[in-house]
Amino acid sequence: MEKGLQWETTWLDLPKGEHKKPEYLAINPLGKVPALIDDAVVVHDSTIINEYLEDSFPKAPPLLPRDPAMKARARSLEDYADAYLAPSLYKILREMRKPEAERDRERLREGEQEVLKHFAYLDGQLKGRQFFAGMFSVADISFIPQLSNYERTGYKISDEFPNLKGWWERMKARPSYAASMPTD
Ligand SMILES: N[C@@H](CCC(=O)N[C@@H](CS)C(=O)NCC(=O)O)C(=O)O
């Protein structure tokens, strides 16, 4: 939506294993989401999807800064979302999907503590900035589904992280947020 493109979303129920069914494995044999189908082109992995959209629709509003240093910063932060925040967040999400009595409390606490460390880092990265990398970019986008999952699981970003909290409210106020996130 940020690029003014039309798309249709098919949500998969991961706990039910819909991403491991033959219909989806025909799209992504690795059995991971997300995947993008653009006519005959199929692209997997959120980072590669972002790059594909940027390369395919260069005239639409750019989602990567042009300045090389700022572009590198946007890419680094996108990588941080995938490689650092996501594994910690999954520790929480995996446990919270289980019935309360079956949750591994130690693993949950570990995930919660790791996420707080990531939030402290991200809060610092946002000091004095509206966006992670000078403009609304893939860096901001990469954190949005993760923080949405965190919130939908019942957590709130603590007041300890005012820069991150303010940024999160700004991200949720963008029309693309309501248009892209699940409504349940
Ligand atoms: N680096 C990949 C990560 C893909 C990934 O691990 N996706 C998760 C959900 S966000 C998934 O498909 N998990 C299901 C599974 O691993 O079985 C990306 O950014 O697209």
Side-chain angles (χ1 to χ4, degrees):
M1 181 175 178
E2 293 282 352
K3 274 196 171 291
L5 305 172
Q6 298 293 316
W7 83 99
E8 194 184 309
T9 304
T10 303
W11 295 103
L12 297 187
D13 191 331
L14 301 190
K16 278 196 188 151
E18 286 180 353
H19 56 310
K20 304 293 180 194
K21 292 195 172 157
E23 305 89 285
Y24 186 70
L25 293 177
I27 295 167
N28 183 0
L30 302 178
K32 299 270 181 193
V33 295
L36 172 78
I37 303 175
D38 179 27
D39 291 329
V41 181
V42 179
V43 189
H44 320 131
D45 191 290
S46 56
T47 304
I48 314 298
I49 291 171
N50 286 338
E51 287 182 3
Y52 172 81
L53 293 174
E54 200 62 18
D55 292 342
S56 302
F57 304 99
K59 289 192 183 142
L63 293 173
L64 257 181
R66 279 181 186 244
D67 171 68
M70 205 48 98
K71 188 185 267 190
R73 177 179 168 83
R75 285 183 164 145
S76 300
L77 281 155
E78 189 194 9
D79 183 62
Y80 189 90
D82 289 352
Y84 293 86
L85 179 59
S88 300
L89 196 57
Y90 290 150
K91 285 184 192 170
I92 297 179
L93 301 183
R94 230 177 275 127
E95 293 312 316
M96 291 298 280
R97 276 190 199 127
K98 298 178 187 168
E100 203 169 340
E102 291 171 27
R103 287 177 195 157
D104 179 336
R105 306 262 148 217
E106 207 171 302
R107 193 148 179 85
L108 187 56
R109 253 175 69 85
E110 188 182 293
E112 287 170 350
Q113 282 171 355
E114 285 176 15
V115 164
L116 292 183
K117 283 191 189 149
H118 296 312
F119 283 179
Y121 174 71
L122 296 176
D123 193 67
Q125 292 300 315
L126 282 166
K127 192 166 180 213
R129 296 175 187 271
Q130 287 287 304
F131 303 108
F132 276 109
M135 55 181 263
F136 181 76
S137 76
V138 295
D140 304 287
I141 291 170
S142 61
F143 290 106
I144 291 172
Q146 300 197 22
L147 291 185
S148 177
N149 277 333
Y150 184 71
E151 217 171 65
R152 289 168 68 225
T153 307
Y155 292 84
K156 289 255 169 285
I157 297 175
S158 148
D159 291 342
E160 265 180 89
F161 311 117
N163 304 319
L164 183 63
K165 213 171 162 169
W167 167 89
W168 180 230
E169 293 309 318
R170 290 193 294 280
M171 295 303 109
K172 284 195 290 183
R174 295 179 81 86
S176 58
Y177 181 85
S180 311
M181 290 294 136
T183 46
D184 63 320

